[in-house]
Amino acid sequence: MERNHEVTTSGLLLDEKGELREPGWSRSLIQKYDRDMIKAPKWRIKEWDYYLVLSDSFAGAFTISDDGYIGLQSVSLLEFGDKPWEHTETVLNGFPMGRIGLPSDSGEGSTKYADKRLKMKFDVGKGCRRIRCKFEDFYEGKPFECNIMLKQPAMDSMVIATPWDKKHAFYYNQKINTMRASGYMKFDDKIYTFDPRTDFGTLDWGRGVWTYDNTWLWGSGNADINGNSFGFNIGYGFGNTTAATENVVFYNGKAHKLDDVEFHIPDNIMDKWTFTSSDGRFEMEFIPVLDRAACLDYKLIVSDQHQVFGRMTGKAVLDDGTVVEVKDMMCFAEKVHNRY
């Protein structure tokens, strides 16, 4: 199979043996995910919807997930001003194993979670997505709430289907960039308002069966450049990417596929990072502003996360050779090690 194989024929994601029918990348979820076709134990299945809504000076991140023997529901509020600050609050659930009921397609249904403290819901409508959340005692006894709209016209996304080097293990993932954001977040009597002219949301939609111990690198960002929507998704560590990587640049709703992109991370994670590409089409410098670090250690379940927010400057090259100049674009790049 050729490098960066694009899947263009719709069909089932898995075969009767529970293996991927056609590893590769696509512009939409044309391969159909069916949880009932998975041959691995239920406690190994991982499903999540993650939204990041980002402005130049603040952001919100929202996760509803069912990771088999643990569910992880979280909300993050971040500020990038003179004194960068963030708080992440997480609710853990034991052995949900499908009971949260995440949809099998990102384009329909509702993703929702509710308990006495947290109520969170992601709705998909015609050309838009809505994120609503109320979190009691989010931080220092104060509640958090939000009502955010993401505009999603007809546009390409990044979808990748990759196997792991283990029977019945696979990763099916969609990243939707450049969704213009409006609405608000509210915490501690402060209202954070998103402006669709400059602010964007990203969806990370994941389904699959992972191996136990993994380290991945992921970066993503969006910007308005002279009235044009621009975004990128880069990363590796998500299974066997022989068939395709997930490195893509988006410009006015069209995906431009990249080859390999390498993260050069300094020993001090808050020093300058650089990104280089094997095809010369993504060359960037990244100045960190805030490290959203999280470390969980429950012996069997261990997570060491560094999601670093900062400003990206450099160039990206589209399929037709057009060079897009990027300057001080707020985005993030992360390194995560999980055993779960």
Side-chain angles (χ1 to χ4, degrees), residues 198-228:
T198 56
D199 304 338
F200 294 87
T202 297
L203 170 63
D204 172 16
W205 183 94
R207 305 291 188 267
V209 176
W210 284 54
T211 49
Y212 174 65
D213 192 330
N214 301 285
T215 298
W216 75 73
L217 300 166
W218 177 35
S220 180
N222 305 294
D224 183 282
I225 300 178
N226 299 322
N228 301 293

Side-chain angles (χ1 to χ4, degrees), residues 11-22:
L12 293 172
L13 176 70
L14 302 178
D15 62 20
E16 62 279 359
K17 296 179 181 179
E19 306 294 343
L20 288 175
R21 291 178 182 270
E22 188 177 0

